[in-house]
Amino acid sequence: MFDQAELRRTAPAMTYEQLLEAVRYEGAYPDAPRAAESVRQVLGALGRRLTGEERVELAARLPAEAALAFTAQPPELDELTGWGFVKDLAARTGTSPAAARWDTGAVLSVVARLAGPELLARILRALPGGYALLFGQIELAPGRTA
């Protein structure tokens, strides 16, 4: 079990401005406001999918503004594959699936660095198949080991 008070004491590895700059770079966005919009949308969508200890620990590793976007809505009960996640994001934001996939990769590749390998592995185990690629990770077929 984890101590929620201890998690709250952990300072995020980067500021919100650093997060936006990293996402702006990853997504080749023209400016910070465009990166901020992607961060808000993608983290909100991820927050609807992730539950339990992984949700709490990831929120603690994000800058406060990003954690608020991540936890703004309660998790939904339906499970979406990685591709379902992208299609749902596209529908909610009024963009194409290709644009939603681009935004997802730009944001979640930075989130993967903030999460670290151990938490990221737990997050990927908690989510249905297809999310590893969204986080910039390889995904092995079930039953195979690296």
Side-chain angles (χ1 to χ4, degrees), residues 108-132:
L108 294 186
S109 64
V110 176
V111 169
R113 293 194 302 262
L114 286 172
E118 187 273 328
L119 177 56
L120 181 58
R122 289 184 15 235
I123 288 170
L124 292 174
R125 282 193 300 271
L127 294 168
Y131 281 84

Side-chain angles (χ1 to χ4, degrees), residues 16 19-21 23-25 29-40 107:
Y16 186 64
L19 172 71
L20 293 183
E21 183 57 28
V23 169
R24 190 188 69 72
Y25 178 79
Y29 298 125
D31 52 35
R34 175 63 181 89
E37 183 66 13
S38 291
V39 166
R40 186 185 61 74
V107 174

